[in-house]
């Protein structure tokens, strides 16, 4: 993980986290929107606990709970990251959003770089006609973050892999399903094989491994082509996300619906 000796953004965050900080002169709707953005990715139980803790603090101080108390509680649990790491996470999540937008795979509801484990892309994906073409596009979406990292930084991290819900794990499962259980495989397509059991075959069946890998490689190439073709929009979205921490559906659409023209500069590393 990248660390910087001095993080101005962190100092600003700590200062604004104080309950005594002056409240913004905004409407109730805007104040709630700001709190909602800080709460993106948290569960209902997390938020309930934070509100309970904030209320306890204000009771001990013998005063009413205010906007600043909730804001401070939300900021305390958010990880403090260097600008370089925050921007890399933003590029990764922007890549997923760009692929979904271009390929018309669901709708991106929100993006965040403030999650405990990194970034997140919240989507709505209604039921679709899962043709082979659609599934290949869905595979490409899984590689959107990795393709974006490669295009912007000329290198990828392990962020796409790891746990069972990771991008690489999801992509492998989809490709494996296409070959073994969805009737789209090159070998005995009418024979259904349980995808959970078929996963073990990847360790022994080199032909199956090659077919799954070929689908993954083709999807990665699709993602790379789209990222390069719409690089301007990718960089604009990543810059906006890195700056604000979260973006909602309207803000995302306002960037992705524009044409590619000027390219924003990539933040320089301070390390």
């Amino acid at each position: 993980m990248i660390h910087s000796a001095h993080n101005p953004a962190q100092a600003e965050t700590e200062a604004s986290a104080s309950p005594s900080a002056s409240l913004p002169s905004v409407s109730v709707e805007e104040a709630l929107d700001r709190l909602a953005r800080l709460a993106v990715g948290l569960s209902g139980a997390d938020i309930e606990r934070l509100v309970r803790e904030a209320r306890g603090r204000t009771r001990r101080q013998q005063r009413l709970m205010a906007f600043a108390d909730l804001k401070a509680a939300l900021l305390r649990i958010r990880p403090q990251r260097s600008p370089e790491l925050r921007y890399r996470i933003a590029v990764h999540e922007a890549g997923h959003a760009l692929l979904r937008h271009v390929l018309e795979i669901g709708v991106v509801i929100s993006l965040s770089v403030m999650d405990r484990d990194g970034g997140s892309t919240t989507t709505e994906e209604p039921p679709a006609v899962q043709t082979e073409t659609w599934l290949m596009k869905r595979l490409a979406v899984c590689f959107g973050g990795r393709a974006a990292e490669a295009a912007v930084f000329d290198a990828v991290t392990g962020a796409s892999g790891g746990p069972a819900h990771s991008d690489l794990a999801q992509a492998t499962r989809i490709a494996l399903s296409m070959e073994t259980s969805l009737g789209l495989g090159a070998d005995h397509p009418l024979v259904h094989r349980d995808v959970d059991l078929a996963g073990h075959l990847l360790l022994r069946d080199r032909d199956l491994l090659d077919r799954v890998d070929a689908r993954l490689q083709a999807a990665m190439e699709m993602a790379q082509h789209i990222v390069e073709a719409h690089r301007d929009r990718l960089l604009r979205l990543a810059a906006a996300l890195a700056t604000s921490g979260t973006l909602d559906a309207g803000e995302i659409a306002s960037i992705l619906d524009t044409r590619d023209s000027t390219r924003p500069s990539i933040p320089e590393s301070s390390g």
Side-chain angles (χ1 to χ4, degrees):
M1 184 176 292
I2 304 172
H3 295 282
S4 56
H6 175 65
N7 188 345
Q10 180 174 347
E12 180 182 350
T13 296
E14 291 171 349
S16 64
S18 172
S20 62
S22 59
L23 292 178
S25 179
V26 297
S27 65
V28 173
E29 290 76 12
E30 186 172 347
L32 290 175
D33 180 70
R34 293 184 184 184
L35 292 176
R37 287 173 181 273
L38 290 174
V40 168
L42 299 180
S43 67
D46 289 333
I47 295 173
E48 182 180 3
R49 175 177 55 81
L50 290 173
V51 171
R52 188 166 55 248
E53 291 174 356
R55 184 180 292 117
R57 289 190 183 91
T58 57
R59 281 177 178 170
R60 290 191 294 273
Q61 297 171 5
Q62 297 183 339
R63 61 182 179 82
L64 296 176
M65 185 169 61
F67 169 88
D69 298 302
L70 294 174
K71 180 180 179 182
L74 288 166
L75 287 172
R76 270 192 294 271
I77 68 168
R78 289 305 190 183
Q80 299 300 322
R81 298 186 172 104
S82 68
E84 294 85 3
L85 179 56
R86 185 179 172 103
Y87 182 67
R88 181 178 278 272
I89 295 172
V91 167
H92 186 100
E93 299 306 327
H96 286 303
L98 176 66
L99 264 291
R100 282 189 174 275
H101 179 80
V102 173
L103 296 175
E104 299 181 341
I105 303 294
V107 178
V108 180
I109 302 302
S110 67
L111 296 173
S112 173
V113 295
M114 302 176 67
D115 287 18
R116 295 166 183 165
D117 299 327
S120 65
T121 301
T122 304
T123 64
E124 285 185 356
E125 191 173 310
V129 179
Q130 295 190 3
T131 62
E132 186 169 11
T133 297
W134 186 91
L135 287 166
M136 288 303 297
K137 291 179 179 179
R138 184 63 184 80
L139 277 177
V141 168
C142 293
F143 290 119
R146 186 179 181 89
E149 284 191 60
V152 175
F153 304 108
D154 293 323
V156 297
T157 65
S160 295
H165 61 271
S166 68
D167 299 333
L168 295 185
Q170 291 183 49
T172 300
R173 187 176 182 85
I174 294 172
L176 182 60
S177 296
M178 294 172 73
E179 289 295 329
T180 60
S181 63
L182 297 181
L184 301 172
D187 180 39
H188 299 88
L190 300 183
V191 177
H192 179 274
R193 287 152 287 186
D194 187 279
V195 69
D196 292 323
L197 299 177
H200 297 288
L201 292 176
L202 288 178
L203 301 176
R204 304 192 305 271
D205 189 334
R206 183 54 188 255
D207 183 57
L208 176 61
L209 176 63
D210 288 342
R211 296 200 309 274
V212 169
D213 182 65
R215 289 192 181 276
L216 297 177
Q217 293 290 347
M220 181 63 181
E221 290 176 8
M222 185 190 304
Q224 289 173 320
H225 175 76
I226 290 172
V227 164
E228 287 298 338
H230 303 281
R231 185 184 179 93
D232 297 342
R233 276 185 277 184
L234 171 74
L235 295 179
R236 284 198 297 273
L237 185 61
L241 179 57
T243 299
S244 67
T246 63
L247 294 175
D248 61 27
E251 293 164 330
I252 296 165
S254 69
I255 295 173
L256 294 181
D257 286 339
T258 60
R259 293 184 177 181
D260 299 297
S261 53
T262 57
R263 297 184 181 181
S265 60
I266 300 172
E268 295 182 359
S269 171
S270 61

